[in-house]
RNA sequence: GCCGUUGUAGCUCAGAGGUAGAGCACUUCCUUGGUAAGGAAGAGGUCGUGAGUUCAAUUCUCAUCAACGGCUCCA
């Protein structure tokens, strides 16, 4: 007999060789029907696999991440079986589960899969799922496994086998499909009741663009049709919140073929938001002791040779233009210009820290396939600043920057974010990263300590640093689940040397400063793209392009409406009057659709009492106020940048 | 840059080898209406761009540009 320990601490005895499924059945039949996979001593196991020694056990259902992962992994195998049935002879690479669904990478040889084929494959999957085929685990000797795939001529699985140790190799078979697989899997295909193949994509083998491109098919499955339907509805809802759709509907930005890909034309409504963000940044930075500067959009080649950017990033810069025998590049970053400003006059320790800020315009030649709405563009406006400081000042300055991030997040109601401490990769020193191993370790430790001391939760990721130093990237998720780096806070130990920057210290000796690069509001492009999705287009009043729309009941009250408008304008409110000869119902409907925060309805009653009827977007009528009261309230709401 | 899909009016979309349609938006007229669409008339498109096949192409073929779903990349 062996002892099985349950999550609640209870221990029960079973015969050696008992399976997790047997154990579940011994507890309740209902549970046995629901569970998909088991956790045995913190490893995820097949339900049928014999347990031979004392163990702790957890039983996972669809509601657990382990359950979903296994379910989707098994679904990938089911899809592979269907594909092999339809297209005999294709070769499979890997088919892992994702946060939502799964994919399988396939070498189709000369064949092509179209979207019509997806429908066929779905049908086949449904047919196979109904057969309740059991996922059978088989342990294989490495030699046997190699023989099997050599026979099959499958170079992909042979490649996988190279990195696997003998004694650790398992195959899984369901129906007519056998795959090299670590497992585990759900008991049988019958659990998979609803299937949707989502799209076909190319994916480089092993993620390397130099390798052959395989065909990747994405899909998702559920234990019930209803869950699939709900998921598809959720996808539709997410599309409504897409910043590209909202950006068009709300007149925020546009693009034009004659202007060029990735070059944003900000429409008047977008420009208002930009102005507001810059106002916020300028206020905040001035209070934090920054000085503002303005620099040109281009510079001579030599500047980027000095900075060291060119060898690393030439591909991402617009090709140089040659004038008077000199090459000029559009700037892809503001740092070198700022360094030259620092260096324009001699500095002493009394000048430090020296903080230079600019909403700098940068141009980056992103590959065509990487462009994405406002999130990846070729001309961007960065909330940039560089802080030149002594080693002693570093921790305090770095912390002050992090605090600024947190302050902004509070204003915008951003609560889902991760600070990612992005480190260098020792194997890529001299290629992707400046070859200064000790300085890397030293500055990484400096940053780590600041984060620890300010109790900011963070994760460390190797190989994500800038080429000149470690950084903190702020990863955020928009309301529709899109993850990206919103802002960045970087340490730079390389450029000060390259630019020979120095200040005179207290001992009258030259000393090299450290530089902090920071951009808490990222770029206007990405930040506004994020805000559109974050607020679903319903901006807080201070950011709303149009803050108030006055809706007269009829033209008889137009004069009064215009008088109210003038009063509001004098108080600094962005306001318009709907002067059209339309019924009030239509005016309200259109104002609601355009997401104006406040609608003021004015008619007989209001005009005679010097009042207005206030309607809040999304909330409906909230009653009458005197004009003065309303002006006072909205002015406060704007001044303090209140969140809704 | 690579794989796949798409490109018709300002927007959302129908459509066919014989040189185009709807709804909304827009213009004009009627209506002066109290919290999410009042009515009528009108105007608006070299069917992304270039070439080829054809008596004829916006429709078929090829190329190209752009957008979209992914991959790669993201200072």
């Amino acid at each position: 007999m062996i002892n099985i320990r349950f999550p609640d601490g209870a221990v029960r005895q079973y015969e050696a060789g008992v399976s997790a499924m047997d154990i579940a059945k011994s507890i309740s039949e209902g549970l046995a029907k629901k569970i998909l996979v088991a956790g045995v001593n913190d490893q995820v196991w097949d339900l049928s696999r014999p347990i031979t020694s004392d163990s702790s056990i957890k039983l996972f259902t669809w509601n657990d991440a382990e359950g979903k992962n296994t379910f989707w992994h098994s679904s990938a195998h089911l899809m592979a079986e269907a594909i092999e049935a339809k297209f005999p002879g294709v070769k499979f690479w890997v088919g892992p589960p994702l946060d939502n669904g799964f994919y399988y990478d396939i070498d189709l040889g000369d064949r092509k899969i179209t979207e019509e084929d997806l429908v066929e494959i779905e049908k086949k999957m449904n047919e196979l799922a109904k057969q309740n085929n059991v996922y059978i685990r088989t342990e294989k000797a490495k030699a046997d496994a190699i023989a099997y795939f050599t026979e099959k001529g499958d170079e992909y699985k042979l490649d996988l086998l190279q990195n696997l140790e003998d004694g650790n190799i398992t195959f899984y078979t369901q129906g007519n499909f056998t795959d090299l697989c670590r497992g585990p899997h759900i008991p049988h295909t019958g659990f998979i009741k609803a299937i949707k193949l989502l799209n076909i994509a190319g994916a480089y083998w092993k993620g390397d663009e130099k390798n052959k491109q395989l065909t990747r098919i994405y899909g998702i499955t559920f234990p019930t049709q209803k869950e699939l339907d709900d998921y598809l509805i959720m996808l539709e809802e997410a599309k409504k919140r897409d910043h590209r759709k909202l950006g068009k509907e709300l007149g925020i930005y546009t693009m034009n073929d004659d202007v060029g890909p990735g070059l944003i034309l900000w429409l008047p409504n977008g420009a208002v938001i930009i102005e507001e963000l810059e106002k916020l940044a300028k206020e905040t930075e001035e209070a934090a002791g920054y000085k503002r500067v303005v620099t040109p959009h281009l510079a001579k080649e030599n500047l980027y040779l000095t900075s060291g950017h060119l060898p690393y990033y030439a591909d991402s810069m617009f090709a140089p233009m040659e004038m008077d025998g000199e090459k000029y590049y559009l700037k892809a970053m503001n740092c070198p210009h700022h360094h030259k400003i620092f260096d324009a006059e001699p500095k002493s320790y009394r000048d430090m820290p020296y903080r230079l800020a600019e909403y700098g315009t940068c141009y980056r030649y992103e590959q065509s396939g990487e462009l994405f709405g406002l999130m990846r563009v070729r001309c961007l406006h960065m909330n940039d600043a560089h802080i030149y400081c002594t080693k002693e000042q570093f921790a305090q300055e770095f912390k002050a920057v992090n605090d600024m991030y947190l302050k902004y997040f509070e204003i915008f109601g951003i609560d889902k974010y991760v600070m990612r401490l992005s480190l260098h990769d020792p194997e890529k020193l001299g290629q992707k990263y400046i070859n200064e191993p000790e300085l890397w370790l030293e500055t990484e430790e400096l940053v780590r300590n600041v984060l620890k001391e300010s109790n900011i939760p963070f994760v460390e990721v190797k190989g994500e640093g800038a080429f000149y130093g470690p950084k903190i990237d702020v990863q955020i998720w928009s309301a529709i689940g899109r993850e990206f780096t919103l802002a960045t806070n970087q340490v730079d130990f390389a450029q000060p040397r390259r630019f020979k920057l120095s200040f005179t210290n207290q001992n009258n000796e030259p000393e090299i400063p450290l530089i902090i690069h920071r951009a808490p509001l990222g770029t206007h492009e990405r930040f506004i793209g994020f805000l559109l999705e974050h607020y679903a287009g319903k901006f807080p009043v201070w950011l709303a392009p149009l803050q108030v729309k006055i809706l007269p009941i009829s033209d008889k009250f137009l004069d009064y409406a215009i008088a109210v408008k003038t009063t509001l304008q004098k108080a600094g409110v962005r306001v318009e009057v709907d002067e059209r000869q339309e019924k009030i119902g239509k005016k309200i409907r259109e104002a609601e659709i355009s997401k104006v925060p406040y609608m003021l309805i004015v008619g007989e009653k209001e005009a005679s009492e010097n009042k207005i009827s206030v309607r809040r977007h999304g909330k409906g009528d909230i009653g009458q106020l005197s004009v003065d009261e309303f002006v006072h309230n909205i002015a406060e709401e704007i001044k303090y940048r209140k969140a809704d």
Side-chain angles (χ1 to χ4, degrees):
Chain A
M1 297 295 269
I2 53 171
N3 293 313
I4 299 292
R5 176 184 294 275
F6 293 88
D8 63 0
V11 177
R12 288 168 73 164
Q13 290 201 322
Y14 290 92
E15 288 203 21
V18 70
S19 73
M21 181 53 95
D22 298 332
I23 294 171
K25 280 183 181 157
S26 77
I27 297 170
S28 94
E29 281 293 330
L31 177 66
K33 275 182 196 152
K34 273 190 356 197
I35 55 167
L36 297 171
V37 72
V40 177
N41 300 329
D42 291 328
Q43 279 188 313
V44 193
W45 272 34
D46 296 304
L47 291 178
S48 58
R49 190 166 163 189
I51 302 169
T52 51
S53 57
D54 289 357
S55 301
S56 68
I57 190 168
K58 287 180 201 154
L59 300 172
F60 296 120
T61 69
W62 171 254
N63 295 323
D64 301 297
E66 292 85 351
K68 280 195 174 71
N69 274 336
T70 308
F71 189 88
W72 283 327
H73 183 194
S74 299
S75 300
H77 278 235
L78 180 66
M79 179 171 80
E81 185 184 3
I83 290 170
E84 197 170 51
K86 286 266 162 206
F87 302 91
V90 299
K91 293 169 189 169
F92 296 94
W93 171 235
V94 292
L98 303 168
D99 288 346
N100 285 299
F102 57 89
Y103 68 78
Y104 220 118
D105 280 348
I106 310 150
D107 182 352
L108 291 166
D110 297 333
R111 274 174 290 197
K112 283 206 166 160
I113 276 191
T114 64
E115 297 198 353
E116 286 95 76
D117 293 322
L118 288 191
V119 178
E120 291 295 307
I121 296 167
E122 261 174 41
K123 270 190 206 157
K124 186 74 188 169
M125 284 174 75
N126 277 307
E127 183 190 320
L128 293 167
K130 287 198 185 97
Q131 294 173 2
N132 295 344
N133 291 324
V134 176
Y135 288 89
I136 302 160
R137 179 176 188 273
T138 324
E139 292 180 9
K140 282 267 183 189
K142 186 164 181 174
D144 293 345
I146 290 173
Y148 176 85
F149 286 113
T150 307
E151 162 90 37
K152 235 182 147 185
D154 189 333
E155 65 269 34
Y156 297 102
K157 297 298 174 186
L158 287 170
D159 187 273
L160 283 176
L161 277 169
Q162 276 183 8
N163 299 316
L164 295 178
E165 281 173 37
D166 206 358
N168 232 342
I169 295 169
T170 51
F171 280 25
Y172 276 83
T173 302
Q174 96 276 3
N176 290 318
F177 181 74
T178 296
D179 201 1
L180 171 69
C181 180
R182 187 189 310 128
H185 282 281
I186 59 175
H188 61 82
T189 58
F191 283 92
I192 302 167
K193 302 276 194 212
I195 300 166
K196 178 75 186 166
L197 299 187
L198 298 162
N199 49 40
I200 308 170
Y204 298 106
W205 184 42
K206 296 186 180 181
D208 187 337
E209 63 180 324
K210 290 182 194 76
N211 283 342
K212 176 168 180 170
Q213 197 160 43
L214 304 175
T215 301
R216 176 173 297 179
I217 300 182
Y218 286 88
I220 193 160
T221 51
F222 291 93
T224 64
Q225 184 62 37
K226 173 154 192 329
E227 281 163 287
L228 174 59
D229 293 343
D230 289 348
Y231 178 76
L232 295 176
I233 288 168
M234 198 267 292
L235 286 185
E236 286 303 310
E237 288 299 311
K239 273 188 202 160
K240 290 183 190 158
R241 243 182 135 127
D242 190 301
H243 74 275
R244 292 164 298 185
K245 185 172 161 66
L246 287 168
K248 183 179 267 181
E249 286 169 358
L250 302 178
I252 305 295
Y253 76 99
T254 189
M255 289 193 256
N256 180 282
D257 280 357
D258 287 334
V259 176
L263 302 174
I264 303 299
L265 299 170
W266 290 100
L267 302 172
N269 287 343
V272 169
I273 298 172
I274 285 180
E275 293 289 337
E276 288 296 342
L277 290 176
E278 291 197 12
K279 207 154 85 188
L280 170 66
K282 285 173 187 170
E283 276 173 27
T284 310
E285 285 158 8
E286 189 179 327
Y290 290 70
K291 302 174 204 300
R292 299 206 81 77
V293 293
V294 176
T295 61
H297 291 198
L298 37 67
K300 280 156 57 175
E301 178 178 41
N302 200 42
L303 186 68
Y304 300 109
L305 289 172
T306 306
S307 72
H309 282 104
L310 260 186
Y312 291 91
Y313 298 115
D315 286 350
S316 304
M317 293 176 76
F318 276 82
M321 43 205 137
E322 218 165 311
M323 300 293 283
D324 303 326
E326 289 280 1
K327 281 186 190 165
Y328 286 84
Y329 281 89
L330 282 170
K331 68 176 174 184
M333 65 294 294
N334 304 302
C335 346
H337 286 88
H338 286 186
H339 301 340
K340 289 296 185 188
I341 289 177
F342 176 90
D343 204 30
E345 293 168 336
K347 294 288 180 294
S348 103
Y349 72 95
R350 293 175 197 277
D351 297 312
M352 312 292 273
Y354 194 74
R355 311 181 189 91
L356 296 177
E358 175 180 21
Y359 246 105
T361 308
C362 299
Y363 300 85
R364 297 179 182 180
Y365 193 77
E366 306 287 4
Q367 291 189 62
S368 60
E370 291 161 355
L371 298 172
F372 179 68
L374 287 174
M375 300 304 188
R376 282 292 284 283
V377 295
R378 285 181 176 161
C379 171
L380 40 110
H381 298 81
M382 199 187 291
N383 172 225
D384 212 355
H386 296 90
I387 300 169
Y388 304 81
C389 63
T390 67
K391 245 184 200 171
E392 296 71 40
Q393 292 166 335
F394 175 80
Q396 195 188 338
E397 287 300 309
F398 203 79
K399 181 174 183 313
V401 171
N402 281 332
D403 289 345
M404 191 183 284
Y405 280 67
L406 299 178
K407 186 198 153 193
Y408 283 141
F409 289 173
E410 199 180 324
I411 291 174
F412 293 103
I414 298 171
D415 42 24
K416 195 179 177 199
Y417 61 86
V418 168
M419 295 265 187
R420 181 179 74 190
L421 172 54
S422 300
L423 310 171
H424 76 297
D425 179 351
E427 287 173 18
K428 291 187 178 161
L429 280 170
Q431 302 155 40
K432 206 176 163 189
Y433 302 104
I434 295 274
N435 196 5
E436 299 271 9
E438 280 119 53
L439 278 169
W440 275 105
L441 294 176
E442 192 182 333
T443 49
E444 284 171 358
E445 189 55 25
L446 277 173
V447 175
R448 193 179 287 118
N449 286 338
V450 174
L451 283 168
K452 279 186 190 159
E453 278 160 28
S454 16
N455 275 323
I456 297 173
F458 67 99
V459 294
E460 297 197 15
V461 182
K462 201 171 75 171
E464 288 284 347
F467 80 87
Y468 45 63
K471 59 178 179 167
I472 293 174
D473 289 320
V474 182
Q475 297 302 110
I476 57 169
W477 288 262
S478 77
I480 60 179
R482 222 168 246 153
E483 180 196 355
F484 42 82
T485 305
L486 184 73
T488 179
N489 187 8
Q490 312 172 352
V491 193
D492 185 342
F493 54 78
Q495 290 200 54
R497 286 151 202 265
R498 301 183 70 100
F499 279 90
K500 299 191 167 61
L501 301 183
S502 75
F503 63 94
T504 307
N505 68 16
Q506 274 146 303
N507 305 323
N508 200 25
E509 292 156 347
E511 191 175 316
I512 302 174
L514 272 175
I515 301 176
I516 298 171
H517 302 241
R518 41 114 279 178
L521 297 177
T523 64
H524 281 323
E525 286 73 15
R526 191 170 279 189
F527 200 73
I528 293 173
F530 165 77
L531 289 180
L532 275 165
E533 295 184 2
H534 180 63
Y535 292 123
K538 291 171 265 185
F539 288 105
V541 176
W542 71 277
L543 269 177
L546 183 64
Q547 293 164 324
V548 175
K549 188 124 186 177
I550 303 174
L551 312 176
I553 298 287
S554 82
D555 335 359
K556 285 191 219 151
F557 313 105
L558 210 51
D559 287 347
Y560 179 64
I562 289 168
V564 174
K565 174 184 162 182
T566 309
T567 309
L568 281 163
Q569 270 178 330
K570 281 187 186 148
V573 177
R574 294 185 289 270
V575 52
E576 278 175 12
V577 177
D578 189 340
E579 300 185 6
R580 297 173 308 164
Q581 294 178 18
E582 294 290 353
K583 288 194 176 171
I584 192 67
K586 180 153 184 172
K587 290 181 182 179
I588 287 172
R589 175 178 157 80
E590 292 185 5
E592 286 281 349
I593 288 171
S594 71
K595 301 183 165 62
V596 192
Y598 285 106
M599 287 150 273
L600 304 184
I601 286 106
V602 295
E604 178 90 50
K605 280 182 279 177
E606 292 80 4
S608 61
E609 297 173 39
N610 202 31
K611 287 189 166 178
I612 38 103
S613 286
V614 183
R615 186 185 164 101
R616 187 74 168 88
H617 175 267
K619 297 202 176 103
D621 191 353
I622 57 173
Q624 289 193 355
L625 282 182
S626 76
V627 174
D628 288 345
E629 275 177 292
F630 179 75
V631 169
H632 173 78
N633 292 351
I634 194 170
E636 294 273 299
E637 196 173 350
I638 293 168
K639 185 178 171 192
Y640 295 107
R641 298 189 170 98
K642 290 187 186 165
D644 211 358

